[in-house]
Amino acid sequence: MCEQITAMSVRELMEAMQTKRLSAREVCQAYLKQLKQREDDVNAYLSVTSELAMEQAKAVDEQRASGQALPALAGVPGGIKDNILTLGVRTSCASKMLENFIPPYDATVMEKLNGQRFVLLGKLNMDEFAMGSSTENSFFKVTHNPRALDRVPGGSSGGSAAAVAAQEAAFALGSDTGGSIRQPAAFCGVVGMKPTYGTVSRYGLVAFASSLDQIGPLTRDVYDSALILNAIAGHDPKDATSVRRDVPDYTLGIGQGVRGLKVALPRQCFEGEIAPEVKEAVLSAARKYEKLGATVEEVDMPALEHALPAYYVISSAEASSNLARFDGVRYGYRAQGCQTMEELYKRSRSEGFGPEVKRRIMLGTFALSSGYYDAYYKKAQQVRTLVMRDYGRIFEEHDVILSPVAPTTAYKIGSKTQDALSMYRGDIFTVPVNIAGVPALSMPCGQDADGLPVGMQLIGRPFSEPLLYRAGYAFEQSEKEGKPA
């Protein structure tokens, strides 16, 4: 019975609890049992809040038994990436710097989920301060891909994707700065949504790069993703970058199909260092869209070739500024036995941060330094404008852009840890989306010869998430219909 429960979608769990076929406690117990069975192999969680989860589930059951009307997600268990603040529950950003930090308040997305009466299973592993593409940069542990335990789950939201893929959470929240939701979703064979910048509040998200970061859901299927985005989207006066805009019901019209839509295939995304199996899987998806009634056209987006270096300059510059607050004085790790303030700063930051975080801080500080600002940071911002114009030009004539999520499937753990540039190149298809601030949906579209998932991403104009869900749902349903029962 437990295995059946953890295999259910969010929508199925909601219906089962609303009709009282399942209790919230039964659902919570099933997931905690699954955690015990899988977690030693997967390492998705940094902390498991078993007692809190059972208390929350018990409260939901009592309120439902009393006849009280409950929100849609009441009793649904989820996991939260460990850079999203959770009141009273450790939030470490997978770093020694915040190893023992207990937040005194909730992030806005947590307030929204708590208002929905969801059940918190725990906090999920990640690359330290969200800097990485493999979840190998965590101070605490390396997360393994549930689809093949010798492979990385992607990053930085690798714990979030792995938990959903291993049925250790019905859904998870991650954050996406340059692909950190979409790439692990692709590697683990789940669905990840990076919303339009400003759609989901960043208040209470520990900042990596403030002009790029967005919180979004990871789920088993497209409809579940729309349900979770319903719960977390909306204007927040505590976030100056939050957009004041009515939140639609993202599930409305999701089944209308794609007949008449125009899909663009950027030529630059199918050239160079892309695995043949990945290329073929995405092109096969394009052919499927044609069969479903969409028009698919190849387009040229020359600025995409320059987006990756621009992203790493901009994100590292913003990271160097955002992480300056971690100095050993106010909160976080403090080196002991220091004789001067300068020694305290140096040792606390040297001992508290890992190698990848130090690398990006140094790169960002260099790019912002006197004499180099115009040559690097200013130039990167100019490239950002060109990328945004490329997207704007394509969306004048097309509804959706289809591309790979990553040039390869999940690679073996340890295979790229000594080659930072190779790992950075893996973000080549995802970072342009963050630079432009547009939404993108990552979902499975096939497998390679080893049975590892291949991910495709659907990219839309700002605030076109309903259309992306519609296009993603149409493909997902056609894939299900094409498989033998």
Side-chain angles (χ1 to χ4, degrees), residues 145-167:
N145 191 325
R147 299 291 296 266
L149 293 173
D150 64 336
R151 306 285 176 140
V152 302
S156 63
S157 306
S160 299
V164 174
Q167 299 181 7

Side-chain angles (χ1 to χ4, degrees), residues 133-156:
S133 302
S134 63
T135 317
E136 294 172 289
N137 294 318
S138 169
F139 172 69
F140 300 101
K141 59 174 71 170
V142 173
T143 297
H144 298 252
N145 191 325
R147 299 291 296 266
L149 293 173
D150 64 336
R151 306 285 176 140
V152 302
S156 63

Side-chain angles (χ1 to χ4, degrees), residues 113-284:
L113 287 177
N114 288 332
Q116 285 278 321
R117 310 308 307 274
F118 98 116
V119 171
L120 175 63
L121 293 173
K123 301 300 291 294
L124 294 158
N125 197 23
M126 55 184 282
D127 286 298
E128 183 183 8
F129 283 102
M131 298 181 192
S133 302
S134 63
T135 317
E136 294 172 289
N137 294 318
S138 169
F139 172 69
F140 300 101
K141 59 174 71 170
V142 173
T143 297
H144 298 252
N145 191 325
R147 299 291 296 266
L149 293 173
D150 64 336
R151 306 285 176 140
V152 302
S156 63
S157 306
S160 299
V164 174
Q167 299 181 7
E168 294 183 57
F171 74 93
L173 292 190
S175 65
D176 193 309
T177 307
S180 291
I181 288 173
R182 289 161 290 148
Q183 184 249 27
F187 279 10
C188 293
V190 298
V191 174
M193 167 59 85
K194 181 266 170 195
T196 305
Y197 184 79
T199 295
V200 179
S201 173
R202 293 187 300 109
Y203 181 77
L205 172 69
V206 179
F208 166 12
S210 302
S211 74
L212 303 166
D213 298 340
Q214 266 295 275
I215 295 171
L218 293 103
T219 57
R220 307 250 178 81
D221 62 37
V222 173
Y223 196 94
D224 281 2
S225 183
L227 286 171
I228 304 303
L229 190 58
N230 277 345
I232 63 175
H235 174 69
D236 180 12
K238 293 177 286 189
D239 175 7
T241 63
S242 176
V243 175
R244 192 181 297 273
R245 182 184 177 93
D246 291 338
V247 178
D249 182 343
Y250 294 105
T251 64
L252 287 180
I254 199 169
Q256 290 180 354
V258 296
R259 186 165 299 279
L261 291 187
K262 294 187 70 176
V263 179
L265 284 177
R267 178 178 55 79
Q268 286 77 7
C269 293
F270 297 92
E271 299 175 342
E273 299 179 18
I274 178 171
E277 291 168 307
V278 172
K279 180 178 179 179
E280 176 52 35
V282 179
L283 291 177
S284 176

Side-chain angles (χ1 to χ4, degrees), residues 96-98 327-329 331-336 347-348 351-352:
K96 182 178 181 181
M97 182 62 77
L98 291 176
D327 53 14
V329 176
Y331 58 91
Y333 176 79
R334 176 183 293 186
Q336 301 300 306
R347 284 187 50 200
S348 295
E351 296 169 15

Side-chain angles (χ1 to χ4, degrees), residues 308-341:
L308 190 64
Y311 164 81
Y312 274 101
V313 170
I314 293 169
S315 63
S316 297
E318 294 185 13
S320 73
S321 176
N322 281 325
L323 270 61
R325 71 193 71 176
F326 302 108
D327 53 14
V329 176
R330 288 158 288 191
Y331 58 91
Y333 176 79
R334 176 183 293 186
Q336 301 300 306
C338 300
Q339 303 301 312
T340 65
M341 185 64 73

